[in-house]
Amino acid sequence: MMGGGKYIIASAENPTQVKLRNILNPSGYMFIGNVSEPVALIRIIRSYQPDFVVIDFNMQLGELRSTILTIDSEMLCACIIIGQQSDVDIIDILHNTKVVSVCPLPLNKDVLLQTVEMSLLNFKRVYELSRKLREAAENLELRKVLDKAKLILMKENNITEDEAYRVIRKKSMDTRMSLKDIAQVIISNNMNDIKNEIKG
């Protein structure tokens, strides 16, 4: 088993905390905190930035559910729930999340360590995929804005697409503004010109 990484325990029961620490710490994981209230968990995660959090599913379910969904939607860290896999609420959470895993009760050292390893690998994979999707969406948005701005410059100045791109790139370098910002200024100015023509 490979160890490494910081973790937080969310459990109101001290015996559960002790058992988890007795399994994880000797395996190379570093305990950085414990919370007994689901409401405090998000704040602690944002402050300490753990690699994963282990959550005892015996905590207050209403607040716990919304906390787990926030951890998942914001991709704050890997999240491991300790509970019965047959629990309807756990099944529901698993169906609606990307980075949540379940470690069944009763706690077993090998199963817990394997769950932690798999959770960390899954989190890394999902995080990387989300980053690539975000970048692809940003690139598509940039291309749309640039194409619109190039078209405006081509029509106004009777120039080719390559020349229009060079104009945008030069303005970007001269003003130290991003290509997207320059393109948006060109589009905005064009819209203002059209509005002025309509008013005039």
Side-chain angles (χ1 to χ4, degrees):
M1 293 282 177
M2 294 173 64
K6 305 176 294 184
Y7 71 96
I8 290 172
I9 297 174
S11 174
E13 296 177 15
N14 200 43
T16 304
Q17 296 171 31
V18 171
K19 191 163 188 181
L20 286 166
R21 288 172 69 177
N22 285 343
I23 293 172
L24 294 170
N25 289 5
S27 301
Y29 296 102
M30 186 170 76
F31 173 73
I32 56 172
N34 177 72
V35 292
S36 55
E37 298 287 323
V39 188
L41 184 56
I42 299 293
R43 183 175 40 82
I44 299 291
I45 289 173
R46 286 187 179 132
S47 297
Y48 292 100
Q49 300 178 338
D51 296 293
F52 64 99
V53 60
V54 183
I55 298 174
D56 181 356
F57 207 65
N58 289 327
M59 298 173 85
Q60 306 130 335
L61 185 59
E63 291 174 356
L64 187 56
R65 176 187 295 276
S66 98
T67 298
I68 291 170
L69 293 175
T70 300
I71 293 168
D72 184 78
S73 68
E74 294 183 22
M75 299 284 295
L76 296 174
C77 65
C79 184
I80 300 158
I81 296 173
I82 303 292
Q84 297 300 340
Q85 284 181 306
S86 58
D87 186 314
V88 176
D89 293 311
I90 289 180
I91 291 168
D92 182 55
I93 287 171
L94 286 174
H95 280 296
N96 294 300
T97 56
K98 304 174 291 295
V99 295
V100 176
S101 303
V102 176
C103 183
L105 289 171
L107 273 179
N108 171 287
K109 177 183 175 181
D110 291 336
V111 173
L112 175 63
L113 291 175
Q114 189 173 23
T115 304
V116 169
E117 258 185 64
M118 294 308 293
S119 289
L120 290 171
L121 285 171
N122 182 55
F123 180 80
K124 217 177 269 187
R125 182 181 57 78
V126 173
Y127 186 86
E128 189 60 26
L129 182 60
S130 297
R131 185 187 62 76
K132 285 179 180 175
L133 286 172
R134 219 171 26 249
E135 279 178 9
E138 286 167 6
N139 288 339
L140 181 62
E141 179 62 26
L142 173 60
R143 190 156 61 235
K144 283 181 184 176
V145 173
L146 276 175
D147 285 348
K148 209 172 193 178
K150 284 190 291 185
L151 194 59
I152 291 166
L153 290 176
M154 287 161 66
K155 282 182 180 177
E156 284 180 354
N157 303 297
N158 196 25
I159 57 176
T160 67
E161 186 177 352
D162 285 344
E163 290 169 327
Y165 178 73
R166 282 197 291 272
V167 168
I168 295 169
R169 195 177 65 198
K170 185 174 183 334
K171 283 184 187 269
S172 170
M173 288 189 288
D174 291 347
T175 59
R176 295 187 181 195
M177 290 171 67
S178 70
L179 288 172
K180 186 177 180 182
D181 288 344
I182 292 295
Q184 285 172 330
V185 167
I186 291 167
I187 294 165
S188 177
N189 287 345
N190 185 60
M191 290 305 212
N192 290 337
D193 291 346
I194 292 168
K195 283 178 189 172
N196 290 337
E197 278 179 36
I198 292 168
K199 283 179 186 175

